[in-house]
Amino acid sequence: MYYFDHSATTPVHPDVLDLMHSIQKNVYGNPSSVHSQGKKAKSLIETARKQIANTIGANPNQIIFTSGGTEANNQVFWSLLRKEKKHVISNSIEHPAVLKVLSELSTHGIDYTLIPVNKKGRVSSINIQNAFNENTCLVSIMLANNEVGTIQPIKDLAKLAHEQNALFHTDAVQCLGKIPINVVNLDVDYLSLSAHKFYGPKGIGVLYFKNKEAISSLMIGGGQESGFRAGTENIASIAGMGLAAELATLHLENHVSELISFESHFKTGLLSFFPNVIFNGDMNNKLPGLVSVSLPGYRSDILLAKLDRANMAVSSGSACGSGNLKPSHILSEMGIDDKTNISTLRFSFGASNSLKQIEQLLSKLQSILTD
Amino acid sequence: MGHITVGMSGGVDSAVAASILVEQGYEVEGLFMKNWEDDSKYCSAEEDYKDALQVCDVLGIPLRSVNFAKEYWDRVFQNFLDEYKAGRTPNPDILCNTEIKFKEFLNYAKDLGADKIATGHYVRNQKLNGKIELLKGLDPGKDQSYFLYRLNQEQISTALFPIGNLEKSNVRARAEKLGFDIFDKKDSTGICFIGERDFKEFLQQYLPAQPGIMKTSDGTKVGEHDGLMYYTLGQRKGLGIGGGHGDGDGPWYVLDKDLTNNELIVGRGHTHAGLYQRCLTASNIHWISGEAPTSENLMGKIRYRAQDANCRITNLNDTEISVEFEDPRFAIAPGQSVVFYNGDVCLGGAIIDKAFN
């Protein structure tokens, strides 16, 4: 299997896998127990908390572990029900783990404004500025988009929010290991992460919060995670995520230069036999290794199936398995017409790839596109 | 060996069809089709997809999926509603085969690179003198050629029907032996998008009902109806007429619909003369070979579960035929199809407009 879908999920790093395996086998204590087996488990969790905190420039007591990015986002938004001000500003190309939560919360008295993006998928400060009202309590903008990779000017936007006495959340799920993340530098109040996007396990994630007053628990129970996330901890996954975050940060520079080389190799090759290709997103502010390409005249579902047949995994933003393909809402919001939209594939390269694999991908694409 | 895309419904027939092609050495892929957008408890699409996936896992073949809900709505369901509005009894499954399975699905499979498609229909096809013929399935209780009579030469020659020469019991036995979870899954019945729900309730969502009276053919009022579209000629159940009315004994049947006066004509007893007609006219003629059969004496079937019966066809004009059966037929319903056979060979058919004696 040639895997070019690292933005969907990543394979688990072998060291992470070894660690998790050994923990599952040996450390079965409940971290809440006072005996040594329990303490051993507890200390593994706290080590991971430090690793995560170091990765993003936070204090360990500002980190809680969740079941993933979706839960982290949900926790931020559902906390709003306890606030007096009930207006949220977000943007139209967020993940459903933001957009659908807001839509659900609108039946609970939360009001929200979605600001548009430009052709490159960037939000503008002016639009955010204009969306504030006296009830605005939160602005939530993703750090980088999952479909086109466009990176948002979070630092500037967070500053704007703070000037208006609103808090700022960013969904950074796509970013760890691809760009440096520092919560102090970005000055965000909340940040969500998910381990399986950076070679960690699935089903585990992180919520960073600047102040604990600004958060309440979604899960009620035994008081784990300082009362912010009840439920016996998933020790192996938490420890695995801690290590994965540490490795991702340690190898950030090398990994990024590798991703950039994959990307440029791929783009050059594709252009050479398919000059009509359109590259989507903001080429100057983009996650490395994530390439959204429109191939006018083709349908993404057919291309995807043909690549799959050649054991090559990629994805498309259009609703999968739709005969009457539903265009990707993200690309639509960026002003891309439906026909171009449904011809779009996302290639996301990663640690499991090599230049030789990119060559093979290009050669397969060439045979499909020039058939 | 060619590349075959099998329409996988999540049912046992298509599953076994796929397994036979795999055994025969074809390169096989499953394609699951969703034609109806419905999140209600009545829609089994998600369960069906999981069932299809288990089958494909066992067979080690890929499963892809495709959504033709819009095409189905525009080209099959709209016609279904129009026909009901006109007081007729349409057969959407026939239209689904010509418009969706053997058009949209077929084209999509070709785009995916398939040489042929295959389905789990109980029919067979064979080449004869440069033409392709559609034959009844060998299991007389399961033959589905009635639903496929509107296919043309190209559609039939691009299709494989791997279970057409099997008995249903054999199909189930194969499915169990192969380890398909669905080996004993219930056969789907009735119209796919209605599923298990109440037909009246379903139709009410789309068509306004005009209640009126029910009367016998001599004009005696015996009850009220909820709207003519809810009734089919020959229908016995759900009329809600008590005993004590009218002529004779036995249960009540729907004999006719008087659309002009919005009245339902009913009569008692399975042998009521008003339930039987010998003749019909039909239009929307389709001949599988592309030409009308030369022999005038053929067998005709006036609904899926009706017996074939000797009949004669007369061409009224280019678009209309008249069919005369040797013996009267029970409850010929406008909107249903009359399908013609020469032995096992399905020749084609037409859509019934009117029945008479």
Side-chain angles (χ1 to χ4, degrees), chain A residues 278-304:
Chain A
I278 302 164
F279 296 107
N280 303 302
D282 187 342
M283 295 308 133
N284 299 319
N285 292 287
K286 198 180 70 63
L287 292 177
L290 190 164
V291 192
S292 166
V293 295
S294 299
L295 302 159
Y298 289 84
R299 286 174 49 133
S300 57
D301 56 342
I302 303 281
L303 294 174
L304 211 139

Side-chain angles (χ1 to χ4, degrees), chain A residues 174-196:
Chain A
Q174 287 292 334
C175 304
L176 194 76
K178 297 197 194 101
I179 53 173
I181 303 175
N182 185 296
V183 290
V184 178
N185 182 30
L186 293 171
D187 199 21
V188 293
D189 300 283
Y190 311 98
L191 181 140
S192 312
L193 291 174
S194 179
H196 75 95

Side-chain angles (χ1 to χ4, degrees), chain A residues 60-77:
Chain A
N61 62 7
Q62 294 173 312
I63 302 290
I64 59 168
F65 298 120
T66 67
S67 65
T70 295
E71 187 189 325
N73 289 351
N74 266 271
Q75 187 158 1
V76 172
F77 289 112

